[in-house]
Amino acid sequence: MRLILGLLLTACALQAVEPPESGGVLVVAASARDYVLGAGGALAKRIDAGAPVYVVIFGNGDKSAVGLSPSEARKRNRAEAEAAGRKLGVRETLFLGYSEGYLAQISSSELRNQLMALFRIYKPDELFFPDWYVHYISDDAYRVGRMAEEAPYGGGSLFLQEYTYMDRGGYAPREYFFYAPDRPYREREGGEGRADFVGEDVGSTFARKLAALAELATSNTAWAKPGLDASSYARGFATELAETIGRRHGYARAEEFNHLGRGGGVPEHVREHARSAR
């Protein structure tokens, strides 16, 4: 409870400087590299179209470094994540500060409550988050993605009623984009169930995506293969990833998402009990 109220007070203090603009995009990630690789080009396109984009990073990057103490790694990764967001045109990057690799030890209810609170503050139309259904993503990305998919169910005003009393009624976005952080989708991972599997041409914004990725020097060094130049490795990886995805969707360079749009009316479990009018 104290953490949620503290988050609200922090957000209100930010509003005094520049209130969040509703109707934009909220991006949820375990690390900056996850969302830049998985969705950076698509987000830059939305920014170019005039949509405000806000990023929430749950991990603190204390282990994504080589030869640095945890405190120095946190400091550098935060500064570099902010710089990467500026390259894309992100309106604000918010850090929740959880130790990297330990999100499994945090109550999922705590994580969801924080995200539900942010829904009420930022009021986004679209939500981007890691696709926790795909195999072989980091455990932190898995935890963040699973929590993010569950959070919209708390969009009613009966959840987090302390917020409702403070004139922050229930809210949930209506468009959802699941992204695989650092690889193409594999067979039977895209377009399952109600999800549409979509590819987005990111040719026009790919240079900005690479520029944002280059800002993540500390985590790129930790991520690169030993003996390779980290910047070149990151740039080459992102280019091959975009081209591989692009061939699937008919573009030179692309990103891909499982997309859930606005609901299709009365749910199926209700329609199956319907009776015809007489």
Coordinates of all heavy atoms in Angstrom, one line a residue, residues 186-236:
R186 N 8.3 -18.1 -33.5 CA 8.5 -19.4 -34.1 C 7.1 -20.0 -34.4 O 6.1 -19.4 -34.1 CB 9.2 -20.3 -33.1 CG 10.6 -19.8 -32.9 CD 11.3 -20.6 -31.8 NE 12.7 -20.0 -31.5 CZ 13.5 -20.4 -30.5 NH1 13.0 -21.3 -29.7 NH2 14.7 -19.9 -30.4
E187 N 7.1 -21.1 -35.0 CA 5.8 -21.7 -35.4 C 4.9 -22.0 -34.2 O 5.4 -22.4 -33.2 CB 6.1 -23.1 -36.1 CG 4.9 -23.7 -36.7 CD 5.2 -25.0 -37.4 OE1 6.4 -25.4 -37.5 OE2 4.2 -25.7 -37.9
R188 N 3.7 -21.6 -34.4 CA 2.6 -21.7 -33.3 C 2.8 -20.8 -32.1 O 2.3 -21.0 -31.1 CB 2.5 -23.2 -32.9 CG 2.2 -24.1 -34.0 CD 1.7 -25.5 -33.5 NE 0.5 -25.4 -32.7 CZ -0.1 -26.4 -32.1 NH1 0.4 -27.6 -32.1 NH2 -1.3 -26.2 -31.5
E189 N 3.6 -19.8 -32.3 CA 3.7 -18.7 -31.3 C 3.0 -17.5 -31.7 O 2.7 -16.6 -30.8 CB 5.2 -18.4 -31.0 CG 6.0 -19.5 -30.3 CD 7.4 -19.1 -30.0 OE1 7.9 -18.2 -30.7 OE2 8.0 -19.7 -29.1
G190 N 2.6 -17.3 -32.9 CA 2.0 -16.1 -33.4 C 0.6 -16.4 -33.9 O 0.4 -17.4 -34.6
G191 N -0.4 -15.6 -33.5 CA -1.7 -15.7 -34.1 C -2.5 -16.8 -33.4 O -3.5 -17.3 -34.0
E192 N -2.2 -17.2 -32.3 CA -3.0 -18.3 -31.6 C -4.2 -17.6 -30.9 O -4.1 -16.5 -30.4 CB -2.1 -19.0 -30.6 CG -1.0 -19.8 -31.3 CD -1.5 -21.0 -32.1 OE1 -2.2 -21.8 -31.6 OE2 -1.2 -21.0 -33.3
G193 N -5.2 -18.4 -30.7 CA -6.4 -17.9 -30.0 C -7.0 -16.7 -30.7 O -7.2 -16.6 -31.9
R194 N -7.3 -15.7 -29.9 CA -7.9 -14.4 -30.3 C -6.9 -13.5 -30.9 O -7.2 -12.4 -31.4 CB -8.7 -13.8 -29.2 CG -9.9 -14.5 -28.7 CD -10.5 -13.8 -27.6 NE -10.8 -12.4 -27.9 CZ -10.4 -11.4 -27.1 NH1 -9.8 -11.6 -25.9 NH2 -10.7 -10.2 -27.4
A195 N -5.6 -13.8 -30.9 CA -4.6 -12.8 -31.3 C -4.4 -12.8 -32.8 O -4.4 -13.8 -33.5 CB -3.2 -13.2 -30.6
D196 N -4.2 -11.6 -33.3 CA -3.8 -11.4 -34.7 C -2.3 -11.3 -34.7 O -1.7 -10.5 -34.0 CB -4.4 -10.2 -35.3 CG -5.9 -10.2 -35.3 OD1 -6.5 -11.2 -35.7 OD2 -6.5 -9.2 -34.9
F197 N -1.6 -12.0 -35.6 CA -0.2 -12.0 -35.8 C 0.1 -10.9 -36.8 O -0.2 -11.1 -38.0 CB 0.4 -13.3 -36.1 CG 1.9 -13.4 -36.1 CD1 2.6 -13.0 -35.0 CD2 2.6 -13.9 -37.2 CE1 4.0 -13.1 -35.0 CE2 3.9 -14.0 -37.2 CZ 4.6 -13.6 -36.0
V198 N 0.7 -9.8 -36.5 CA 0.9 -8.7 -37.4 C 2.4 -8.3 -37.5 O 3.1 -8.4 -36.5 CB 0.1 -7.5 -37.0 CG1 -1.4 -7.8 -37.0 CG2 0.5 -7.0 -35.6
G199 N 2.8 -7.9 -38.7 CA 4.1 -7.4 -38.9 C 4.0 -5.9 -39.3 O 3.1 -5.5 -39.9
E200 N 4.9 -5.1 -38.8 CA 5.0 -3.7 -39.0 C 6.3 -3.3 -39.8 O 7.3 -3.7 -39.3 CB 4.9 -2.9 -37.8 CG 3.5 -2.8 -37.2 CD 3.2 -1.6 -36.3 OE1 3.9 -0.5 -36.5 OE2 2.4 -1.7 -35.3
D201 N 6.1 -2.6 -40.9 CA 7.3 -2.1 -41.6 C 7.9 -1.0 -40.8 O 7.3 0.0 -40.5 CB 6.8 -1.6 -43.0 CG 7.9 -1.0 -43.8 OD1 9.1 -1.1 -43.4 OD2 7.6 -0.5 -44.9
V202 N 9.2 -1.2 -40.4 CA 9.9 -0.2 -39.6 C 11.1 0.4 -40.4 O 12.0 0.9 -39.8 CB 10.4 -0.8 -38.3 CG1 9.2 -1.3 -37.5 CG2 11.4 -2.0 -38.5
G203 N 11.0 0.3 -41.7 CA 12.1 0.8 -42.5 C 12.4 2.3 -42.3 O 13.5 2.8 -42.3
S204 N 11.3 3.0 -42.1 CA 11.4 4.5 -42.0 C 12.0 4.9 -40.6 O 12.5 6.0 -40.5 CB 10.0 5.1 -42.2 OG 9.1 4.7 -41.2
T205 N 11.9 4.1 -39.7 CA 12.4 4.4 -38.3 C 13.5 3.5 -37.8 O 13.9 3.7 -36.7 CB 11.2 4.3 -37.3 OG1 10.6 3.0 -37.3 CG2 10.1 5.3 -37.6
F206 N 14.0 2.7 -38.7 CA 15.0 1.7 -38.3 C 16.3 2.4 -37.8 O 17.0 1.9 -36.9 CB 15.3 0.7 -39.4 CG 16.2 -0.5 -38.9 CD1 15.7 -1.4 -38.0 CD2 17.5 -0.6 -39.3 CE1 16.5 -2.4 -37.5 CE2 18.3 -1.6 -38.9 CZ 17.8 -2.6 -38.0
A207 N 16.7 3.5 -38.5 CA 17.9 4.2 -38.1 C 17.8 4.7 -36.7 O 18.8 4.7 -35.9 CB 18.2 5.3 -39.1
R208 N 16.6 5.2 -36.3 CA 16.4 5.7 -34.9 C 16.5 4.5 -33.9 O 17.0 4.6 -32.8 CB 15.1 6.4 -34.8 CG 15.3 7.9 -35.1 CD 14.0 8.6 -35.4 NE 13.1 8.5 -34.3 CZ 11.8 8.7 -34.6 NH1 11.3 8.9 -35.8 NH2 10.9 8.7 -33.6
K209 N 15.9 3.4 -34.3 CA 16.0 2.2 -33.5 C 17.5 1.8 -33.2 O 17.9 1.5 -32.1 CB 15.3 1.0 -34.1 CG 15.4 -0.3 -33.3 CD 14.5 -1.4 -34.0 CE 14.7 -2.7 -33.3 NZ 13.7 -3.7 -33.7
L210 N 18.3 1.8 -34.2 CA 19.7 1.5 -34.1 C 20.4 2.6 -33.2 O 21.3 2.2 -32.4 CB 20.4 1.4 -35.4 CG 20.1 0.2 -36.3 CD1 20.9 0.3 -37.6 CD2 20.3 -1.1 -35.6
A211 N 20.0 3.8 -33.4 CA 20.6 4.9 -32.6 C 20.3 4.7 -31.1 O 21.1 4.9 -30.2 CB 20.2 6.2 -33.1
A212 N 19.0 4.3 -30.8 CA 18.6 4.1 -29.5 C 19.3 2.9 -28.9 O 19.8 2.9 -27.7 CB 17.1 3.8 -29.4
L213 N 19.5 1.8 -29.7 CA 20.2 0.6 -29.2 C 21.6 0.9 -28.9 O 22.2 0.4 -27.9 CB 20.1 -0.5 -30.2 CG 20.6 -1.9 -29.9 CD1 19.9 -2.4 -28.7 CD2 20.6 -2.8 -31.1
A214 N 22.3 1.8 -29.7 CA 23.7 2.2 -29.5 C 23.9 2.9 -28.1 O 25.0 2.8 -27.6 CB 24.2 3.0 -30.6
E215 N 22.8 3.6 -27.6 CA 22.9 4.3 -26.4 C 23.1 3.3 -25.2 O 23.6 3.7 -24.1 CB 21.7 5.2 -26.1 CG 21.6 6.3 -27.1 CD 22.7 7.4 -26.8 OE1 23.3 7.4 -25.8 OE2 22.9 8.3 -27.7
L216 N 22.7 2.0 -25.4 CA 22.7 1.1 -24.3 C 24.1 0.4 -24.2 O 24.2 -0.9 -24.2 CB 21.6 0.0 -24.5 CG 20.2 0.6 -24.7 CD1 19.2 -0.5 -25.0 CD2 19.8 1.4 -23.4
A217 N 25.1 1.2 -24.1 CA 26.5 0.7 -24.2 C 26.8 -0.3 -23.1 O 27.5 -1.4 -23.4 CB 27.5 1.8 -24.2
T218 N 26.4 -0.1 -21.9 CA 26.7 -1.0 -20.8 C 26.1 -2.4 -20.9 O 26.7 -3.4 -20.8 CB 26.3 -0.3 -19.4 OG1 27.0 0.9 -19.3 CG2 26.7 -1.2 -18.3
S219 N 24.8 -2.4 -21.2 CA 24.1 -3.7 -21.3 C 24.5 -4.4 -22.6 O 24.6 -5.6 -22.7 CB 22.6 -3.5 -21.3 OG 22.1 -2.7 -22.3
N220 N 24.8 -3.6 -23.7 CA 25.3 -4.2 -24.9 C 26.6 -4.9 -24.7 O 26.8 -6.0 -25.2 CB 25.5 -3.1 -26.0 CG 24.2 -2.7 -26.6 OD1 23.1 -3.3 -26.5 ND2 24.2 -1.5 -27.2
T221 N 27.5 -4.3 -23.9 CA 28.8 -5.0 -23.6 C 28.6 -6.3 -22.8 O 29.2 -7.3 -23.1 CB 29.7 -4.0 -22.8 OG1 29.9 -2.8 -23.6 CG2 31.0 -4.7 -22.5
A222 N 27.7 -6.3 -21.9 CA 27.4 -7.5 -21.1 C 26.7 -8.6 -22.0 O 26.9 -9.8 -21.7 CB 26.5 -7.1 -19.9
W223 N 26.0 -8.1 -23.0 CA 25.2 -9.0 -23.8 C 26.0 -9.6 -25.0 O 25.7 -10.7 -25.5 CB 24.0 -8.3 -24.3 CG 23.1 -8.9 -25.3 CD1 22.4 -10.1 -25.1 CD2 22.6 -8.4 -26.5 NE1 21.6 -10.4 -26.2 CE2 21.7 -9.4 -27.1 CE3 22.9 -7.3 -27.3 CZ2 21.1 -9.2 -28.3 CZ3 22.3 -7.1 -28.5 CH2 21.4 -8.0 -29.0
A224 N 27.0 -8.9 -25.5 CA 27.8 -9.3 -26.7 C 28.6 -10.5 -26.4 O 29.0 -10.8 -25.3 CB 28.7 -8.1 -27.1
K225 N 28.9 -11.2 -27.5 CA 29.8 -12.4 -27.4 C 31.2 -11.9 -27.1 O 31.7 -10.8 -27.5 CB 29.8 -13.1 -28.8 CG 28.5 -13.6 -29.2 CD 27.9 -14.6 -28.3 CE 26.6 -15.2 -28.9 NZ 26.0 -16.2 -28.0
P226 N 31.9 -12.6 -26.2 CA 33.3 -12.2 -25.8 C 34.2 -12.0 -27.0 O 34.2 -12.8 -28.0 CB 33.8 -13.4 -25.0 CG 32.5 -14.0 -24.4 CD 31.5 -13.9 -25.6
G227 N 35.0 -11.0 -27.0 CA 35.9 -10.7 -28.1 C 35.3 -9.9 -29.2 O 36.1 -9.5 -30.1
L228 N 34.0 -9.6 -29.2 CA 33.4 -8.9 -30.3 C 33.2 -7.4 -29.8 O 33.0 -7.2 -28.7 CB 32.1 -9.5 -30.7 CG 32.1 -10.9 -31.3 CD1 30.7 -11.4 -31.6 CD2 33.0 -10.9 -32.6
D229 N 33.2 -6.5 -30.8 CA 32.8 -5.1 -30.5 C 31.4 -5.1 -30.2 O 30.5 -5.4 -31.0 CB 33.2 -4.2 -31.7 CG 32.8 -2.8 -31.5 OD1 33.4 -2.1 -30.7 OD2 31.7 -2.4 -32.0
A230 N 31.0 -4.6 -29.0 CA 29.6 -4.6 -28.5 C 28.7 -3.8 -29.4 O 27.6 -4.2 -29.7 CB 29.6 -4.1 -27.1
S231 N 29.1 -2.6 -29.8 CA 28.3 -1.8 -30.6 C 28.0 -2.4 -32.0 O 26.9 -2.4 -32.5 CB 29.0 -0.4 -30.8 OG 28.2 0.4 -31.6
S232 N 29.0 -2.9 -32.6 CA 28.9 -3.6 -33.9 C 28.0 -4.8 -33.8 O 27.2 -5.1 -34.7 CB 30.2 -4.0 -34.5 OG 31.0 -2.8 -34.8
Y233 N 28.2 -5.6 -32.7 CA 27.4 -6.8 -32.5 C 25.9 -6.5 -32.3 O 25.1 -7.1 -32.9 CB 27.9 -7.5 -31.3 CG 27.2 -8.8 -31.0 CD1 27.4 -10.0 -31.7 CD2 26.3 -8.9 -29.9 CE1 26.7 -11.1 -31.4 CE2 25.6 -10.0 -29.6 CZ 25.8 -11.2 -30.4 OH 25.1 -12.3 -30.1
A234 N 25.6 -5.4 -31.5 CA 24.3 -5.1 -31.3 C 23.6 -4.6 -32.6 O 22.5 -4.9 -32.9 CB 24.2 -4.0 -30.2
R235 N 24.3 -3.8 -33.3 CA 23.8 -3.2 -34.6 C 23.6 -4.4 -35.6 O 22.5 -4.4 -36.3 CB 24.8 -2.2 -35.2 CG 24.3 -1.6 -36.5 CD 25.1 -0.4 -36.9 NE 26.5 -0.8 -37.1 CZ 27.6 -0.5 -36.3 NH1 27.3 0.2 -35.2 NH2 28.8 -0.9 -36.6
G236 N 24.5 -5.3 -35.7 CA 24.4 -6.4 -36.6 C 23.2 -7.3 -36.2 O 22.5 -7.8 -37.1

